[in-house]
Amino acid sequence: MELRTRPYPFAWLGYAYATTVGFVWGALLSRGEIEKHGRLWVFRGMPSWAFGRGGSCVGACYLTDQNVTPAVLAHEEIHRQQWRTFGLAMPLLYWLSGRNPHTNVFEVNAGLEQGGYTTKKGTVS
């Protein structure tokens, strides 16, 4: 399934709000480096309870402990673009797409291998 690329009306407002929330959350809880990679803010050293799986993208903020590689950052950049397209509808749409990354359209669109969900030899999670 192809995801929409044209932003929802007023998606930018939800994206800006989510980015603000992610930035505050990351700034308060991060015990590592805070970096900017392109348009993505990366907050390292987050406690494991503060994000899902290996990390979570909230607006333009990627919250993680140490799961930062070029491939993961490329994957998270696509999630940032999804936030820009869907705005505050993103969390609901993501949830409706399911927890299994192999069937979640947002994870598939962002690249399962880049996100660490598969390898060239097969499935890892």
Side-chain angles (χ1 to χ4, degrees), residues 19-87:
T19 299
T20 301
V21 169
F23 199 94
V24 169
W25 185 249
L28 288 173
L29 298 176
S30 175
R31 298 294 177 249
E33 292 184 45
I34 299 172
E35 308 165 327
K36 184 107 189 264
H37 291 269
R39 295 180 177 170
L40 191 66
W41 287 96
V42 178
F43 294 85
R44 296 181 191 224
M46 300 288 292
S48 61
W49 55 264
F51 58 87
R53 293 190 180 129
S56 295
C57 186
V58 180
C61 300
Y62 174 52
L63 311 169
T64 187
D65 182 13
Q66 294 300 324
N67 188 23
V68 180
T69 65
V72 167
L73 292 177
H75 177 89
E76 297 304 326
E77 168 58 24
I78 294 170
H79 284 318
R80 186 202 64 78
Q81 293 169 18
Q82 292 167 348
W83 271 97
R84 178 60 190 91
T85 300
F86 297 100

Side-chain angles (χ1 to χ4, degrees), residues 6-21:
R6 187 170 157 218
Y8 281 178
F10 301 106
W12 64 270
L13 190 58
Y15 170 75
Y17 177 76
T19 299
T20 301
V21 169

